[in-house]
Amino acid sequence: MAEGGLLAPGSAVYENIRKEFSAQDVKGILSKMLLRLRTNEEVMSKLEDARDAAGNDMVQMLRLTFPVVIHTQIEILEEMGIAKGKEGLKEFLMITNNFCQDTEVNKLFMELRNIWLPPYK
């Protein structure tokens, strides 16, 4: 990872940013996001409340759980000094998409997505 964060000022060219990440970096960040969403009591409580309020309404589920997940992801990226705000998360997710051929990255990404968008059964 680059000093001062992966998305430091001056690294706005997407191609340059992508080269700074390895699949291992992406796995580590996704794992940290999943860990927080699954083990942090405050986050878990917010997600549970959102799911309870949504009931069986999938649109309501998305509307209520998605912001909790996004906020948690942004917090982690900021704590790691990688990026700030929604733009940083957007860039990280675009970079993550480049590593989705990696089975483990894809698995972690799908686990993360399934928190706010449960799989159709």
Side-chain angles (χ1 to χ4, degrees):
M1 289 193 203
E3 198 171 320
L6 293 173
L7 301 178
S11 63
V13 178
Y14 178 67
E15 198 62 33
N16 291 337
I17 295 170
R18 185 169 51 110
K19 290 178 184 172
E20 294 183 39
F21 276 93
S22 70
Q24 202 61 35
D25 293 332
V26 172
K27 290 175 199 175
I29 295 165
L30 290 172
S31 294
K32 188 167 184 156
M33 289 174 175
L34 283 166
L35 183 67
R36 171 106 27 112
L37 288 163
R38 291 178 176 158
T39 62
N40 181 287
E41 297 215 11
E42 181 182 348
V43 173
M44 290 171 40
S45 176
K46 287 178 182 179
L47 286 170
E48 186 176 327
D49 290 347
R51 287 184 185 113
D52 289 345
N56 289 329
D57 185 338
M58 184 59 76
V59 173
Q60 195 69 343
M61 173 79 74
L62 286 170
R63 191 176 81 64
L64 298 174
T65 59
F66 191 67
V68 176
V69 173
I70 294 297
H71 179 75
T72 302
Q73 290 177 302
I74 290 170
E75 277 183 345
I76 288 172
L77 291 173
E78 289 177 355
E79 287 170 12
M80 296 178 77
I82 296 172
K84 291 193 180 244
K86 292 177 185 174
E87 283 303 310
L89 176 60
K90 183 176 100 177
E91 288 189 46
F92 173 74
L93 293 175
M94 288 182 349
I95 291 164
T96 299
N97 192 51
N98 290 321
F99 292 102
C100 277
Q101 313 85 290
D102 182 297
T103 307
E104 192 174 341
V105 168
N106 193 41
K107 178 181 172 276
L108 291 168
F109 186 76
M110 295 307 287
E111 285 179 41
L112 186 62
R113 191 194 74 171
N114 288 342
I115 289 172
W116 58 269
L117 182 65
Y120 179 73
K121 295 179 182 180

